[in-house]
Amino acid sequence: MPESVRALRLWITTAFRAAPALVVAQCLLAVLQAVTAPAQTLGVKLLVDGITGDDSSAIGWGTAVIILGFTVMFVGMVISGPIQDTTAERVAGQVYRDLLDVTVSVPSIIHHEHPEVADKLELIREHAWRLGMSFEMLLFIIGTAANTVAVLGLLGSVHPVLLLLPVLGLGRVWSSYLSIRRLQDAFEETAPQGRVIDRLIEISKDARNGLEVRVFGLRSVLVDRLSRLHDELYDVQGTAMRKGALLDGSVRLLFGLVYAAAIVWAIARARAGGISAGDVVLLILVAPQVDQMAGGLAGNVYWLGEVLRSFGRYEWLRTYAEKNSWAQSREPAPTRLSAGIRLENVEFSYPGSERPVLKNVNLTLPAGATVALVGENGAGKTTLVKVLARLYDPSAGTVWIDDTDLRTIDPAAWRKRMSAGFQDFVKFQLTAREVVGIGDTERQDDEQAIQAALVRGDAEAVVARLPKGLDTQLGKKFTGGMELSGGQWQRLALARAFMRERTLLLLLDEPTAALDPEAEHVLFERFAEASRVAARETGGVTILVSHRFSTVRMADLIVVMVDGQVTEVGSHEELLDLDGRYAELFEMQARAYR
């Protein structure tokens, strides 16, 4: 099925799924309102013919049609507004719910790393409001179709050759479509520049960036970069606009000249007795309606094209989500690890990059072990963590959970058996209770579980300082919201990570970067205790990424990574005896402390 047809089908079905009864009622009302003006024009024709021909029946019918038309217009104006507003709100709500559901249904995050996919996702996000207004455009199409049929019927009743006039009028629609298509292509071409412009604006207005922007004098750098990008963007888009305006103006001029000639022709035929005076009046009154119809289509072809293009992107997103849903992964997640997690010849490369981030990784993480990943920035530690969480699938090789390929395990079921704390944690602007509780949505209202997580995350003191305790709204974006320091946010993020108990995999990627070494040491002791509990009950594995060797040395197993490869594996003492890269890094940090 062609992409445009799939997009049109999605457009129509989205509206009917949102509010079927209201949509049907609104469509019928749109048809009645659309044929009102042509019907009244017919009434005027009958009235003129009746008066000039002394035909009382034609006068009566003409008067009745005109009065009925005014009645329909009045009733439509009264009831269509509330119905249309209600329906549009429901359609917009349906669209935004569907977009959110489809977007977050993709189990992997690899699409965020692909520039082409990221551009399309950005366009979908920016233009989502067009999907919400789609119902109004749908009504416009239905009304225009009904109006076109009525106008063609009137013109054909005067003379068949006049049916060519609306066809010429549709030339304006054709020219507008070409102009808008050229402009849309320009928008697609400049999408990367648009994304960078948005990011630069975000940098300049975000209070967190204000200090560095001023200290390093970045004002001119940001403004110059923004100006260059705007020049590039407007050069492409402006050229498309100028060409479109020239084409549209030429077609409109031709349409006006031909319609003027048709009216002169009709007057001449009426004087010769070929048509009635009412027919001439009909043609004169229909002329503005044809112009209005063509102008309405020409004026709205941009929005029609944009809505259809937006639904095309939305259909692409739905197809992408379906193809990348990992539907073949249906094995249940184990409830306990007996052997552990094993990586066999694992490699990974980001989309569009030929350079692998992970290279031939062979590693065994024993059940119940606390494992520390060590290495310089860019060594591949965080990528390895994401592969274990199955946010990515390896480009080559296999991750074994005991004797089961991780690719075959339902990703949602696997993630329910794991938890994580990251350096780049999200500052959810919710209540403190929710910020912690969403770490385990099945127990987010369990007060005892939340309190236990606060203890394990060393976050009791943070909550104690909040004016309303756990019920305090966090974040300055809300009235009365309480802003926290980086360390306080991080402690709540750690408490969130500890909401899930008896996990098979606990991932801690620089989870204490905003804390001092002493606080990190205390927290890691709690991590170790949680790991020992998990080891006894589930054989769970704890993975810790940290640059502080005073903490790392407490791990059961230390894995050293260099340039995407595992170069050393062992305990702290074993790696010191090996006198390799780990010993070198440890000694460098120890000298710094001394």
Side-chain angles (χ1 to χ4, degrees), residues 401-438:
I401 309 300
D402 283 341
D403 295 322
T404 303
D405 187 342
L406 181 56
R407 288 190 185 90
T408 67
I409 297 176
D410 184 339
W414 173 241
R415 287 167 192 161
K416 282 186 177 182
R417 303 296 298 156
M418 59 173 283
S419 189
F422 297 104
Q423 177 180 358
D424 298 325
F425 55 86
V426 179
K427 296 179 180 179
F428 292 104
Q429 299 207 0
L430 308 169
T431 65
R433 182 185 307 279
E434 292 168 324
V435 167
V436 176
I438 58 176

Side-chain angles (χ1 to χ4, degrees), residues 32-33 162 222 253 291 297 580:
L32 287 175
Q33 290 178 306
L162 295 177
L222 293 175
L253 177 62
D291 183 69
L297 282 173

Side-chain angles (χ1 to χ4, degrees), residues 161-190:
V161 74
L162 295 177
L163 294 174
L164 295 175
L165 293 176
V167 175
L168 290 174
L170 292 176
R172 288 181 58 192
V173 180
W174 168 78
S175 64
S176 293
Y177 172 77
L178 290 183
S179 300
I180 294 307
R181 186 62 182 266
R182 184 179 287 118
L183 186 59
Q184 288 173 336
D185 290 340
F187 286 151
E188 295 276 3
E189 182 182 343
T190 56

Side-chain angles (χ1 to χ4, degrees), residues 120-354:
K120 288 188 176 182
L121 289 174
E122 187 75 4
L123 286 171
I124 291 171
R125 183 189 64 81
E126 288 182 354
H127 299 162
W129 61 273
R130 290 174 181 164
L131 302 178
M133 65 172 282
S134 62
F135 174 67
E136 297 178 20
M137 288 293 100
L138 187 61
L139 288 180
F140 171 77
I141 292 176
I142 293 171
T144 300
N147 181 265
T148 300
V149 172
V151 168
L152 288 174
L154 292 179
L155 291 174
S157 68
V158 177
H159 195 284
V161 74
L162 295 177
L163 294 174
L164 295 175
L165 293 176
V167 175
L168 290 174
L170 292 176
R172 288 181 58 192
V173 180
W174 168 78
S175 64
S176 293
Y177 172 77
L178 290 183
S179 300
I180 294 307
R181 186 62 182 266
R182 184 179 287 118
L183 186 59
Q184 288 173 336
D185 290 340
F187 286 151
E188 295 276 3
E189 182 182 343
T190 56
Q193 289 94 324
R195 283 205 299 142
V196 177
I197 288 172
D198 287 343
R199 297 299 177 267
L200 290 175
I201 293 174
E202 287 179 9
I203 289 172
S204 64
K205 71 180 184 181
D206 195 327
R208 294 174 299 179
N209 305 324
L211 180 61
E212 292 201 35
V213 168
R214 286 159 178 78
V215 168
F216 294 114
L218 300 182
R219 173 176 171 270
S220 59
V221 175
L222 293 175
V223 172
D224 291 346
R225 180 84 180 275
L226 195 66
S227 298
R228 287 198 304 272
L229 288 168
H230 270 296
D231 289 343
E232 294 174 12
L233 187 144
Y234 289 133
D235 182 56
V236 175
Q237 295 182 5
T239 300
M241 290 179 184
R242 288 191 296 272
K243 291 181 179 179
L246 179 61
L247 175 63
D248 197 43
S250 301
V251 172
R252 188 168 188 178
L253 177 62
L254 175 63
F255 169 73
L257 292 174
V258 172
Y259 217 109
I263 292 176
V264 172
W265 171 81
I267 294 173
R269 279 186 59 85
R271 295 185 63 183
I275 58 176
S276 68
D279 289 332
V280 176
V281 172
L282 182 147
L283 181 59
I284 293 173
L285 293 178
V286 166
Q289 294 179 37
V290 173
D291 183 69
Q292 184 179 5
M293 177 189 70
L297 282 173
N300 283 281
V301 71
Y302 169 78
W303 294 112
L304 291 171
E306 279 299 290
V307 168
L308 192 59
R309 180 74 70 94
S310 295
F311 270 99
R313 297 189 191 106
Y314 181 25
E315 175 64 21
W316 169 86
L317 176 61
R318 289 163 63 94
T319 302
Y320 178 88
E322 183 178 351
K323 288 181 178 179
N324 294 273
S325 64
W326 292 343
Q328 73 280 4
S329 303
R330 286 293 175 263
E331 289 290 326
T335 58
R336 180 178 182 83
L337 292 179
S338 56
I341 301 173
R342 179 165 51 90
L343 293 88
E344 184 178 281
N345 302 321
V346 167
E347 295 192 1
F348 178 79
S349 300
Y350 287 104
S353 173
E354 297 180 357

Side-chain angles (χ1 to χ4, degrees), residues 7-204:
L8 181 60
R9 182 184 64 182
L10 180 61
W11 181 1
I12 296 172
T13 56
T14 297
F16 278 92
R17 280 190 295 117
L22 288 176
V23 169
V24 171
Q26 193 68 34
C27 289
L28 292 175
L29 191 58
V31 171
L32 287 175
Q33 290 178 306
V35 300
T36 295
Q40 287 184 306
T41 301
L42 176 62
V44 172
K45 173 219 178 327
L46 292 174
L47 189 61
V48 171
D49 285 342
I51 293 173
T52 57
D54 195 22
D55 185 346
S56 58
S57 175
I59 293 175
W61 278 108
T63 303
V65 170
I66 292 172
I67 293 174
L68 181 62
F70 279 121
T71 303
V72 171
M73 288 176 61
F74 176 77
V75 173
M77 289 174 61
V78 171
I79 68 174
S80 65
I83 295 177
Q84 185 168 330
D85 289 344
T86 303
T87 307
E89 287 180 5
R90 292 193 182 182
V91 172
Q94 177 77 37
V95 165
Y96 281 104
R97 284 193 301 272
D98 284 354
L99 272 176
L100 178 62
D101 182 58
V102 172
T103 303
V104 300
S105 69
V106 182
S108 171
I109 62 170
I110 194 67
H111 52 283
H112 293 298
E113 316 289 350
H114 199 299
E116 181 182 350
V117 175
D119 284 342
K120 288 188 176 182
L121 289 174
E122 187 75 4
L123 286 171
I124 291 171
R125 183 189 64 81
E126 288 182 354
H127 299 162
W129 61 273
R130 290 174 181 164
L131 302 178
M133 65 172 282
S134 62
F135 174 67
E136 297 178 20
M137 288 293 100
L138 187 61
L139 288 180
F140 171 77
I141 292 176
I142 293 171
T144 300
N147 181 265
T148 300
V149 172
V151 168
L152 288 174
L154 292 179
L155 291 174
S157 68
V158 177
H159 195 284
V161 74
L162 295 177
L163 294 174
L164 295 175
L165 293 176
V167 175
L168 290 174
L170 292 176
R172 288 181 58 192
V173 180
W174 168 78
S175 64
S176 293
Y177 172 77
L178 290 183
S179 300
I180 294 307
R181 186 62 182 266
R182 184 179 287 118
L183 186 59
Q184 288 173 336
D185 290 340
F187 286 151
E188 295 276 3
E189 182 182 343
T190 56
Q193 289 94 324
R195 283 205 299 142
V196 177
I197 288 172
D198 287 343
R199 297 299 177 267
L200 290 175
I201 293 174
E202 287 179 9
I203 289 172
S204 64

